[in-house]
Amino acid sequence: MTVTRHDTSAILSQAVEYGDTVYLAGIVAKDLNNDVKGQTKEILDEIDRLLGKCGSNKSKVLQCHIWVTDIRNRAPMNEVWTEWVDKKNLPARACVEAKLADPRALVEIMVIAAK
């Protein structure tokens, strides 16, 4: 099977396709001046873009890992998540508190999806 990599940089690919599976890197917002809701919205928009580029969409998300820098941000992040996620096709999901590489980043999301 062929491995296809998208939006590569010196250290990673933002999306990797292998067979009928799409793996996304941990996505953080570019505008780190936004609050957790704004950052989450931007991240989910980027996830939509990357999944679309790979022939997938949010209804096919299998697993999701979410990191928040303060667990108190889980509730406002979930408000945005709940509006975005396909309610008929909920993925397996974890959400944990963690320190992120850029201290201005409040949330990071990584998904694995089927095509």
Side-chain angles (χ1 to χ4, degrees):
M1 272 189 234
T2 302
V3 175
T4 305
R5 301 172 197 284
H6 300 278
D7 296 13
T8 60
S9 70
I11 62 168
L12 60 85
S13 297
Q14 290 294 323
V16 177
E17 296 178 65
Y18 180 71
D20 289 332
T21 308
V22 177
Y23 304 86
L24 297 189
I27 307 297
V28 295
K30 290 183 177 129
D31 184 355
L32 297 176
N33 294 314
N34 280 328
D35 64 8
V36 70
K37 286 184 172 184
Q39 288 188 25
T40 301
K41 169 82 169 83
E42 183 181 331
I43 291 165
L44 295 173
D45 288 346
E46 178 66 359
I47 288 171
D48 281 334
R49 183 188 76 78
L50 289 166
L51 290 175
K53 191 173 199 174
C54 297
S56 186
N57 62 65
K58 65 185 172 185
S59 74
K60 297 180 180 182
V61 173
L62 305 170
Q63 185 178 44
C64 178
H65 296 139
I66 302 172
W67 298 272
V68 291
T69 56
D70 184 330
I71 203 65
R72 292 173 291 188
N73 281 333
R74 185 175 182 270
M77 178 278 301
N78 271 334
E79 289 177 34
V80 179
W81 169 267
T82 302
E83 288 294 315
W84 175 82
V85 73
D86 185 327
K87 290 163 188 60
K88 293 182 182 177
N89 297 291
L90 295 170
R93 192 189 101 162
C95 180
V96 298
E97 182 178 76
K99 191 173 188 178
L100 301 179
D102 188 319
R104 298 170 300 156
L106 303 174
V107 62
E108 181 171 346
I109 302 175
M110 182 172 81
V111 302
I112 298 171
K115 282 186 152 185

